[in-house]
Every structure is written in C-alpha cells, then in structure tokens.
Amino acid sequence: MMVPTNCKAHVNIPLCIEVRMKNCSTIKPRIPNPDYFSKPVSLEETVKTIRGYVIHISEEALQRSSDEWGKNNDTEVNLIVSRLKDTFFRVSSSLDTKGNDPNMSGPILLGQSVLGVWLGEKEVHNLSKPVQLRFINTNQSENGICVYWNLENGKGNWSTDGCKTIINNRDFVCSCNHLSFFAVLINPEIPEVSHIAHLSYISYVGSALSIAFTALMIVMFLCQRKKQSEHSVVIHVQLSGSLFLLHISFLCSVWFSEKIDSGCQALGLLLHWCLLATFTWTAIEGFHLYLLLVRVFNIYIKRYLLKLSLVAWGVPTITVMICGVTKVYGKYTFYKDKENSTITPLCWISTQTVSYITVNGYLGLVMLFNMVMLGVVLVKMRRLRSQAVQFKDHRRRAWKEWVSVLGLCCVLGVPWVLAFSTYGPLSLPSLYVFTILNSFQGVYMFFWFLTLTCKARKEEHISSKGTIQASFNSNDEIVTTR
C-alpha cells in the first residue's frame, strides 16, 4: 500500500496516484511489493493479480487503451494493479454512503482497501464489454455494492455509475465499463435488490392510497363543517392535510428526480417542508392531548387554532428557507441494482449533517414528547378502569380502549419511532413494518376521523333524543295538571 513520494503532499492523492501509475513500467521493483502488480497484456485474458484479486480484461479494453494495439501481433499493453488504503479516499461531500470509518455504523469498504486498475496510458471508459474484477474469499455475510472513485471536478466521491454487482459464492464480481479505483462497499443497512423493489412498491401504493383517503377526509370535513368544530377534529384535519402534501411531494420527488438540478432542488425543499410540517402537527396532537388530559380546567387560549397553525406551518417554512439558502437540496440515490438502474432516486437533502439535525433530531424530540403523552393516556385509562365498580361488558369496554389507543398511536405518529430501529440485525423487518405503517398513515387517519365523526353523530342523536323526551314529559305534566 505504498504511495509515490511525490503524491504524499499532493492535494488530490488519488488523482496523483492514477497519473503516476499510468506511466509505470512493467519492470519489477527490486524489493517485491505485495500490493503492487504489473504485467504486459496482449490478448483478452483473465489475470490473477495481487492478494487473490482476479481481473478479466476484455479485447475492447485493450483496443481502447492503445492506438497501436491490433496493428501488430506483438503489441502489448501494461496492466497495472495497486492496492491502497481507504484512508486516501475520504469523501469531500455527503453521499449515499456514510464514509469509510470502520467505527461508524454505516457502510465500510471491504477489507478497508481500494484496488486501482489501469491499462496503458489512455483513458478506458464507456466499454460495451466491461472489465470484470473478482474480490474473492470475502467471507462476508453483509450486502455489498461495487463502487469506483469518481475524480470529476477535482474532488472525489464514491459512485456506482457504469458498474454492476454480482455475488457468486460469496465473491463480489464487479463488472464495470471503465477503469479506475474500485472497491466493494459493505453496507448492512442495504437489503437485497428484491427487498428494495418490494419496499418501493409498498411506498408507492401506500402513498397513493394515503393521498386519496386524506383528500376524501378533507372534503368530508369541509362538507360537514359547522361554524364551531371541535379543536381536536380541526387538528386531525390539519395533520391529514400535511400528510396529503407529504405523500404528493414524495411521489413527485421520486418520479421527477431525473429532471434538471433546479427542479430537483425545489422538490427536495418541498418534501423537506412537508415532512417537517407533518412532524410539527404530530407534536401539536400530543400538546393538545396534554391540555385535554392534564390541564382539564382553564385551558382557554385566545385564537388557539390560529396560533397552532402559525407554529405548525411557520417553523418548517423558516427551516427550509435557511436550508435552501445553503443549497443542501439535490438528488439522493438510495441504491443501484445489478442492472445499474437506480432504485428509489429521490430529490432530498444531499448533506447528511443537515438531514440528521433537521429530520432525525427533530423527529426524536417529537417522538419523545408524544410517547410521554401516550404513557399519560395509558395511566389515565388504567385509573378509570380501577375506579369503576361494575362493567356490564368487560370485553366490549376493553375493545373500545384498545381501539382508542391504536387511534392515538396513529395521530401521535408512534410508527415513526421505527425509523430509529432500521439499523442492525432487525433492520429489514423494521424497514417493512416502518414502510407499511407510515406509507398507509393517511388511510389510518381517515378511519380514525370516520370513527370520531360517527361517535359525535351518535352522541348528538342521543342528546337530541333526550331533549325531545324531556320536552314530551314536561308537556304531559302540564296536561295532567290541568
């Protein structure tokens, strides 16, 4: 893993190494280096190189590497292979990955090393018959993808463009249409391609249904709205409105992610705003529940709903305006499959620090508060049950209580807690549960709203029936007196 002396002080070490390696001769060094391999190649062949790496050089790659190849039968091209430490390949900006630090829980490079492959002095790229690199004896149970070091714009980033990944007997076979620095990115958080496709379909179907049901809920509310609706119902509808916008912006961010950068940045900003608005309205649901259960008396607040709306829509607006000025929005790709087709590209936040603070951190605070409120509800329900002397129907009452708890879990956003459990050995089941519960949240909100509406109508009917009965009894007493 030796680095040329002239490159150690270079600003871009990988670029310097690449230039130096292309000009290397095939003369073996006096001191054997186990991390360096060179061989003259004249025909398409499979070469066993350093430390068990196997490279298949196609005829097209040989032809692209030299203008003289093919004119003479004895034309040879130098194949240079060098194994380097991953410390020279630190990302300069946020990527799909989380860096190469083995101490982090995110993805790391297989063997913490990078394989540089060069053929002659010319650039070899856009091959129709790709070059294959086999990383053998990996003995890794984790998933992995083949990546190369993209040296564009004077900076470096890991990319999967032009590379396909095939896993054969625990070996990673990278089939790439160019030559560069290659590595296998090990990422326990990335499930298999089939699972990613299934999760994507669930997200699309759930989002489409959530859009339809939240839109229906809003229409029902507007048609049935009275002059003075209950604050709880209005807050539920506001939350559903934010979910409606969230799912629309999510689908647009996926479908139009291949468009121009400015359009993708705008969609990323919109998706971020809708997500923060949903989180804020979820927190307001918990706050309103606190007022109803804890501060039962003296909870009148002047222009209560107006103030809540200003907070719920204003905080996300200020946040995304600040983020927009710093230009943190762009295309975000979760994964690329073996056919090099992008799975779930998204217009989203391209800087991880901003994402951690404004999304993960904010969601953590909201969920902490709402989980405390849910705990208070459970304690209150248990006290009411213990204070009651007799129940005519224990099962029916218990069923109603559990339905109420499930409804509150939905409006308090409890399923969002699963976002913090999508790491580790249970990441795949957690991803499925998280995707199903949150993509269909709009549907659950609709049924919760329907339950509240039916309950309010039933109570109103009982109240009106009691009023009519009291009026009838009073008239009967008057007739009797006469």
Side-chain angles (χ1 to χ4, degrees):
M1 296 186 183
M2 295 179 63
V3 178
T5 306
N6 296 339
C7 295
K8 290 183 179 180
H10 201 275
V11 177
N12 194 329
I13 294 179
L15 179 60
C16 178
I17 294 175
E18 183 174 41
V19 174
R20 297 273 297 178
M21 288 297 176
K22 286 182 179 179
N23 296 319
C24 282
S25 65
T26 56
I27 301 175
K28 294 184 178 180
R30 295 179 181 178
I31 302 175
N33 186 350
D35 295 317
Y36 175 83
F37 174 88
S38 64
K39 180 184 179 181
V41 181
S42 59
L43 298 173
E44 179 176 350
E45 64 175 305
T46 300
V47 182
K48 292 184 179 181
T49 65
I50 55 176
R51 296 186 180 272
Y53 295 103
V54 179
I55 301 175
H56 177 78
I57 304 297
S58 65
E59 183 177 342
E60 183 185 5
L62 290 169
Q63 186 177 1
R64 294 280 188 91
S65 63
S66 175
D67 295 329
E68 298 297 325
W69 190 89
K71 295 181 180 179
N72 302 316
N73 294 332
D74 58 348
T75 302
E76 294 181 339
V77 181
N78 295 335
L79 172 64
I80 307 294
V81 180
S82 180
R83 181 171 174 263
L84 303 165
K85 290 183 178 180
D86 62 351
T87 53
F88 303 121
F89 299 87
R90 297 301 184 187
V91 293
S92 56
S93 61
S94 179
L95 295 174
D96 313 348
T97 65
K98 298 179 181 178
N100 307 328
D101 189 352
N103 295 323
M104 295 178 65
S105 60
I108 60 175
L109 297 183
L110 177 65
Q112 300 179 23
S113 60
V114 179
L115 193 68
V117 182
W118 302 275
L119 196 62
E121 299 179 4
K122 294 186 65 177
E123 292 287 339
V124 178
H125 53 80
N126 296 326
L127 298 173
S128 59
K129 295 182 179 179
V131 175
Q132 290 187 343
L133 299 88
R134 178 182 288 268
F135 294 78
I136 66 172
N137 297 328
T138 58
N139 294 323
Q140 296 287 335
S141 59
E142 296 91 349
N143 296 305
I145 53 175
C146 296
V147 292
Y148 81 99
W149 189 252
N150 189 353
L151 290 168
E152 291 183 358
N153 301 323
K155 298 180 180 180
N157 285 320
W158 290 116
S159 175
T160 57
D161 292 339
C163 288
K164 300 178 183 179
T165 306
I166 301 173
I167 300 177
N168 185 7
N169 294 327
R170 293 187 178 180
D171 297 344
F172 290 99
V173 180
C174 301
S175 183
C176 300
N177 63 3
H178 55 273
L179 295 178
S180 179
F181 296 99
F182 298 98
V184 174
L185 197 65
I186 299 298
N187 187 353
E189 300 167 21
I190 297 179
E192 295 180 0
V193 178
S194 59
H195 290 301
I196 294 178
H198 295 158
L199 291 168
S200 299
Y201 295 145
I202 293 172
S203 299
Y204 301 152
V205 173
S207 294
L209 290 176
S210 290
I211 291 171
F213 277 89
T214 50
L216 180 60
M217 175 179 169
I218 294 171
V219 170
M220 289 177 59
F221 172 75
L222 294 176
C223 293
Q224 301 174 2
R225 186 176 182 181
K226 303 174 182 179
K227 290 185 179 180
Q228 299 219 346
S229 301
E230 290 186 9
H231 289 169
S232 299
V233 176
V234 176
I235 294 173
H236 293 338
V237 174
Q238 294 270 28
L239 175 58
S240 299
S242 64
L243 284 172
F244 174 79
L245 296 175
L246 174 62
H247 289 289
I248 287 182
S249 60
F250 167 71
L251 293 179
C252 290
S253 296
V254 173
W255 293 339
F256 301 108
S257 60
E258 301 294 338
K259 302 299 181 182
I260 57 176
D261 292 339
S262 58
C264 193
Q265 290 174 4
L267 287 173
L269 184 147
L270 178 62
L271 179 60
H272 190 201
W273 179 78
C274 294
L275 185 64
L276 292 180
T278 301
F279 290 164
T280 310
W281 276 113
T282 302
I284 287 176
E285 289 277 7
F287 173 74
H288 184 69
L289 190 64
Y290 163 77
L291 294 182
L292 292 177
L293 292 177
V294 181
R295 295 188 58 188
V296 181
F297 302 102
N298 300 324
I299 60 171
Y300 173 75
I301 301 176
K302 188 177 181 181
R303 297 183 178 179
Y304 177 60
L305 291 177
L306 177 61
K307 292 178 179 178
L308 292 182
S309 299
L310 289 175
V311 172
W313 301 112
V315 171
T317 302
I318 295 173
T319 304
V320 299
M321 286 177 64
I322 296 173
C323 294
V325 171
T326 57
K327 297 181 180 180
V328 298
Y329 300 108
K331 184 178 177 180
Y332 183 92
T333 304
F334 286 100
Y335 185 64
K336 293 192 176 183
D337 64 2
K338 299 176 184 177
E339 302 301 327
N340 199 34
S341 60
T342 303
I343 295 180
T344 317
L346 189 67
C347 295
W348 182 234
I349 304 171
S350 57
T351 304
Q352 280 190 343
T353 304
V354 176
S355 178
Y356 285 148
I357 295 174
T358 61
V359 179
N360 298 38
Y362 190 51
L363 175 61
L365 293 175
V366 171
M367 289 298 101
L368 179 62
F369 175 71
N370 282 3
M371 292 298 288
V372 172
M373 290 301 101
L374 183 62
V376 171
V377 171
L378 295 176
V379 171
K380 289 278 186 180
M381 291 175 62
R382 186 173 181 179
R383 287 179 179 177
L384 290 174
R385 180 185 297 178
S386 60
Q387 290 174 0
V389 180
Q390 292 181 350
F391 299 127
K392 294 182 179 179
D393 193 342
H394 293 273
R395 292 183 179 179
R396 186 177 181 182
R397 182 180 180 87
W399 171 253
K400 286 184 177 181
E401 289 178 352
W402 277 110
V403 170
S404 300
V405 171
L406 289 175
L408 288 175
C409 288
C410 178
V411 299
L412 293 177
V414 173
W416 285 100
V417 176
L418 292 171
F420 300 102
S421 64
T422 54
Y423 304 90
L426 297 178
S427 60
L428 186 59
S430 298
L431 273 174
Y432 272 100
V433 177
F434 172 82
T435 303
I436 293 172
L437 292 180
N438 287 291
S439 60
F440 288 89
Q441 188 178 1
V443 180
Y444 309 143
M445 286 294 300
F446 171 78
F447 287 112
W448 178 248
F449 173 79
L450 207 61
T451 302
L452 294 180
T453 303
C454 294
K455 183 179 179 181
R457 285 186 176 182
K458 185 178 180 180
E459 291 177 352
E460 185 178 350
H461 176 72
I462 294 174
S463 177
S464 60
K465 185 177 179 180
T467 304
I468 295 173
Q469 184 67 31
S471 176
F472 176 79
N473 291 338
S474 61
N475 291 333
D476 188 45
E477 288 178 1
I478 294 172
V479 172
T480 306
T481 323
R482 289 181 179 178

